[in-house]
Amino acid sequence: MPLCQGIIFCGSCGFPMGTRYRRADNTADYVCTRAQSDAVTTPNCHSVAAAAVDPVVERLLLAALTPEQVHLALAAADALHQRHHRSHRAAGLALERARWEADRAERAFLQVEPENRLVARTLEKRWEDKLAALCQAQTALDDLAALGQAQTALDDLAASEPALPEPARLTALAQDLPRLWNAPTTSAKDRKRLLRTLIADITIRHVDHARAHLGIRWHTGAIDEVTCDRRTNRNPTAAVEIVRHLLDTRSDAEIAGHLNTLGFTTGNCRAFTVASIRHIRAQHAIGSRRNNPTEPGEITVPQAARILGVHESTIYPWLRSGEMPARQARHRRWCIPWNDEIAQHWKQRVATESRIRRPNPNNEKGQAV
């Protein structure tokens, strides 16, 4: 079961990403729901393999629940609680003082004689200032109370649930978490529940055809950004390069056997076959040089025969004996290194040979002269 189902979103259009299963191997993909609908999609509304995303998220989750991280989280929670308590206490004391000063200013104003208008106006202005300070103190305390409503709700919820373990017990649980996470008795539902306890949502944005960018937002407000592959069934890059290198010298069956001998497997963890080699060639556009197997600076036997003015059968003994250096490409086709110096050497050799088989216009097989 996909781990991030329900909390994963498309980074291109912002729509949730649903889960789609493949019929071939029953693997899951996260697919943008907008891309599946008839609505207009953005260019980057694509899919990503669940098996490529889930291990990355799982690794970050387990890394966040190490004993060291749990200890820091408990220390931060305790410091936050103490700071909230001090702030609330200070705001309450400020409100009491502002109320006392406002009452004192009110009594002073009420005790002044009406004939003393100048004094009355001064005391009235002081009273108004104290009332404004009282209003500000009350607003500050109300703001702190609003912030504390969330904590109160959490406290009420905690009162109806089992109490959290002691810090030492939480640290011990963090040490056992990887084992518990991977235990056969731990269900996918339990893993998803733990994941949603810490992670708010995950956003996927595509980097290119092979990679995706993950933005993971935690409930604490922190954000992690990582890059992962879009697919898990990709053939190893080293195996693709071996296919590219051996294509002109070995058959598909020989290449498949060579990769299996080296211990490579396909993206689906299976042994290489002729079909899988052909799939790699088609997928990566690896073409064979069957019609022209030579590299730059090389020529074929027919080309060498035309340059030297001899029959092709004259050249093969030189090649087999090693007199004429060459390499054999696929289907044992000879590729002869060639330049002006080599051409001059073999032209002199042909001129001094007593019996050389040369092409005859009237006899395609050639004749010895």
Side-chain angles (χ1 to χ4, degrees), residues 12 37 72 110 133 202 296 316:
S12 179
S37 66
L72 291 176
L110 294 177
I202 301 170
Y316 285 113

Side-chain angles (χ1 to χ4, degrees), residues 282-350:
Q283 184 181 27
H284 296 274
I286 303 176
S288 174
R289 299 188 303 271
R290 293 184 180 181
N291 296 329
N292 185 17
T294 58
E295 299 285 352
E298 295 179 340
I299 61 175
T300 61
V301 172
Q303 292 173 331
R306 285 195 297 269
I307 294 174
L308 299 178
V310 299
H311 195 271
E312 296 177 16
S313 61
T314 304
I315 297 179
Y316 285 113
W318 297 338
L319 295 171
R320 297 189 185 98
S321 64
E323 295 181 71
M324 179 179 286
R327 67 176 181 89
Q328 281 188 299
R330 189 173 184 176
H331 301 300
R332 306 186 68 178
R333 298 187 64 180
W334 292 98
C335 299
I336 307 170
W338 202 259
N339 54 37
D340 293 340
E341 183 180 353
I342 296 175
Q344 184 64 29
H345 168 76
W346 286 103
K347 286 180 179 179
Q348 294 177 357
R349 173 73 177 272
V350 169

Side-chain angles (χ1 to χ4, degrees), residues 87-105 107 130-131 133-142:
S87 299
H88 197 277
R89 177 61 178 166
L93 293 175
L95 179 62
E96 291 180 5
R97 180 176 181 84
R99 184 180 291 112
W100 179 82
E101 291 181 351
D103 292 342
R104 183 181 180 185
R107 290 194 303 270
K130 298 301 181 181
L131 288 176
L134 175 61
C135 182
Q136 292 178 356
Q138 183 65 52
T139 300
L141 184 61
D142 292 341

Side-chain angles (χ1 to χ4, degrees), residues 102-259:
D103 292 342
R104 183 181 180 185
E106 181 183 7
R107 290 194 303 270
F109 174 74
L110 294 177
Q111 291 176 0
V112 70
E113 294 295 336
E115 291 80 6
N116 298 328
R117 296 179 179 177
L118 181 59
V119 176
R121 285 197 297 269
T122 302
L123 294 176
E124 183 181 14
K125 179 64 171 60
R126 182 181 301 174
W127 184 22
E128 290 178 353
D129 293 341
K130 298 301 181 181
L131 288 176
L134 175 61
C135 182
Q136 292 178 356
Q138 183 65 52
T139 300
L141 184 61
D142 292 341
D143 291 340
L144 288 176
L147 292 175
Q149 288 180 357
Q151 182 63 40
T152 302
L154 292 176
D155 293 340
D156 294 340
L157 180 61
S160 60
E161 296 181 354
L164 288 174
E166 295 296 328
R169 178 58 178 163
L170 285 175
T171 303
L173 288 175
Q175 292 177 344
D176 292 337
L177 183 61
R179 180 179 59 83
L180 295 174
W181 180 274
N182 297 312
T185 55
T186 304
S187 65
K189 183 177 180 180
D190 293 334
R191 295 188 182 96
K192 293 172 69 175
R193 183 180 300 173
L194 177 60
L195 180 73
R196 284 153 180 74
T197 302
L198 298 178
I199 295 180
D201 55 61
I202 301 170
T203 304
I204 292 185
R205 177 176 55 83
H206 296 288
V207 178
D208 51 36
H209 71 283
R211 297 176 299 161
H213 178 274
L214 302 183
I216 301 173
R217 185 171 66 90
W218 302 80
H219 281 295
T220 59
I223 297 177
D224 284 327
E225 298 184 1
V226 294
T227 302
C228 71
D229 293 331
R230 286 185 56 195
R231 289 286 177 266
T232 57
N233 59 345
R234 299 186 182 278
N235 293 295
T237 304
V240 175
E241 292 302 320
I242 291 175
V243 173
R244 193 188 308 274
H245 178 69
L246 298 180
L247 184 61
D248 292 313
T249 59
R250 299 191 185 183
S251 64
D252 293 340
E254 291 173 341
I255 296 175
H258 180 67
L259 292 175

Side-chain angles (χ1 to χ4, degrees), residues 10-14 32 34-35 39-47 204-209 230:
C10 177
S12 179
C13 65
C32 178
R34 187 176 185 182
V40 178
T41 62
T42 58
N44 292 325
C45 285
H46 300 297
S47 63
I204 292 185
R205 177 176 55 83
H206 296 288
V207 178
D208 51 36
H209 71 283
R230 286 185 56 195

Side-chain angles (χ1 to χ4, degrees), residues 49-103:
V53 175
D54 291 352
V56 176
V57 177
E58 176 183 326
R59 184 176 67 253
L60 291 176
L61 177 67
L62 295 179
L65 290 178
T66 59
E68 294 79 10
Q69 295 294 335
V70 170
H71 178 73
L72 291 176
L74 292 173
D78 183 66
L80 182 63
H81 177 74
Q82 295 296 333
R83 184 174 61 183
H84 176 75
H85 178 74
R86 290 195 300 268
S87 299
H88 197 277
R89 177 61 178 166
L93 293 175
L95 179 62
E96 291 180 5
R97 180 176 181 84
R99 184 180 291 112
W100 179 82
E101 291 181 351
D103 292 342

